[in-house]
């Protein structure tokens, strides 16, 4: 891994951090590659229970680094876009829950990274923008509409209007807004809460929600029943019953 993304694991919590603050954490080709590598490493580590995805500096991500495209041909840009899709998919496919902690500007690719996480917590003052059409390209057309609906996604993409943290919370792009100095501690507390649950149950829950969202209710129930069967076969559910019986009702 290079100097664009930092990965560390402490007490079962993986910390994946964008570390290009001098460029406002703009996404370039090396960052795409390093994000893929980081999440592949996380998925291979059986000790990891949850991932916190954050960024160093005052800006979470200023979007794609358009400067790196200077002098490049269409074929190069196409390969670069495919690399970014691979990075978002690596975040989304992670078997562990991924919680994004965002602050400052969250633009274009930064929004895609946020939406690829399972959910996101924002600092007050965070502002989202999805300016791809205004840059003469296309992006954020799929995850954004799935998160907030087609009509609102079109409005944000067509107009390039900023979306503040309160509106992002209302629309469901983020699930919580906290004071800037509480972002890291809130993320850590959330990660600890997730890490308390049996990892198989969490992984199967994540998969059931993701797959169920792509189908009808009847098939979704069958997906959930399949997950329940895996939990029953594993036997870990007995530990949950024992904890509840012993007074730990959480």
């Amino acid at each position: 891994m290079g100097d664009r993304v930092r990965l560390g694991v402490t007490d079962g919590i993986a910390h994946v951090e964008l570390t290009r603050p001098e460029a406002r954490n703009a996404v370039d080709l090396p960052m795409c590659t390093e994000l893929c590598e980081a999440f592949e490493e996380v998925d291979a580590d059986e000790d990891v229970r949850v991932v916190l995805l954050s960024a160093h500096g005052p800006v979470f991500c200023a979007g794609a680094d358009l400067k790196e495209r200077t002098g490049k041909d269409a074929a190069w840009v196409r390969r670069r876009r495919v690399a970014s899709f691979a990075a978002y998919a690596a975040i989304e496919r992670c078997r562990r829950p991924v919680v994004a902690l965002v602050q400052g500007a969250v633009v274009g690719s930064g929004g895609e990274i946020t939406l690829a996480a399972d959910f996101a917590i924002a600092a007050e003052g965070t502002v989202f923008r999805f300016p791809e059409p205004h840059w003469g390209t296309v992006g954020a057309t799929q995850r954004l509409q799935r998160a907030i609906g087609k009509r609102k996604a079109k409005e944000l993409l067509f107009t390039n209007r900023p979306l503040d943290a309160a509106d992002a919370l209302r629309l469901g792009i983020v699930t919580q807004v906290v004071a800037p100095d509480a972002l890291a501690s809130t993320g850590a507390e959330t990660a600890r809460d997730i890490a308390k649950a049996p990892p198989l149950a969490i992984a199967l829950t994540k998969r059931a929600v993701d797959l169920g969202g792509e189908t009808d209710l009847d098939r979704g129930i069958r997906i959930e029943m399949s997950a329940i069967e895996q939990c029953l076969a594993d036997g870990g559910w007995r530990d949950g019953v024992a904890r509840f019986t012993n007074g730990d009702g959480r």
Side-chain angles (χ1 to χ4, degrees), residues 85-102:
F85 291 145
Y88 310 149
I91 298 168
E92 206 163 46
R93 285 197 310 264
C94 183
R95 291 180 296 151
R96 279 72 174 179
V98 180
V99 182
L101 307 177
V102 302

Side-chain angles (χ1 to χ4, degrees), residues 34-89:
E34 291 178 31
L35 276 170
C36 288
E37 292 172 350
F39 277 90
E40 286 171 4
E41 190 170 333
V42 165
D43 250 357
D45 188 342
E46 294 301 329
D47 292 330
V48 171
R49 298 291 191 91
V50 57
V51 184
L52 292 177
L53 175 57
S54 62
H56 183 61
V59 171
F60 179 74
C61 177
D65 186 350
L66 298 184
K67 293 179 181 178
E68 74 170 343
R69 302 182 189 184
T70 302
K72 302 296 196 300
D73 60 14
W76 187 94
V77 174
R78 187 178 298 110
R79 289 194 298 272
R80 163 65 182 79
R81 294 301 301 273
V82 169
S84 66
F85 291 145
Y88 310 149

Side-chain angles (χ1 to χ4, degrees), residues 51 90 98 114-116 127 157 161 194 198 207 213 219 225 241:
V51 184
V98 180
T114 303
L115 292 167
V127 177
L157 288 163
R161 288 175 181 162
I194 293 171
R207 185 171 183 272
R219 290 187 180 90
M225 280 303 306
V241 172

Side-chain angles (χ1 to χ4, degrees), residues 13 38 40 51 75 89 104 108 120 124 126 130 135 140 143 147 149 152 154 159 161 163 178 189 192 209 213 217 222:
I13 300 171
E40 286 171 4
V51 184
E124 294 168 351
T126 300
F130 297 91
W135 290 345
R143 289 183 180 85
K152 189 64 180 180
K154 285 180 177 179
T159 64
R161 288 175 181 162
L163 186 75
V178 299
E189 181 181 6
R192 287 193 295 269
V209 172
L217 179 60
R222 279 183 264 166

Side-chain angles (χ1 to χ4, degrees), residues 136-149:
T137 187
V138 178
T141 61
Q142 300 306 307
R143 289 183 180 85
L144 184 60
Q145 66 160 307
R146 284 165 169 77
I148 67 174

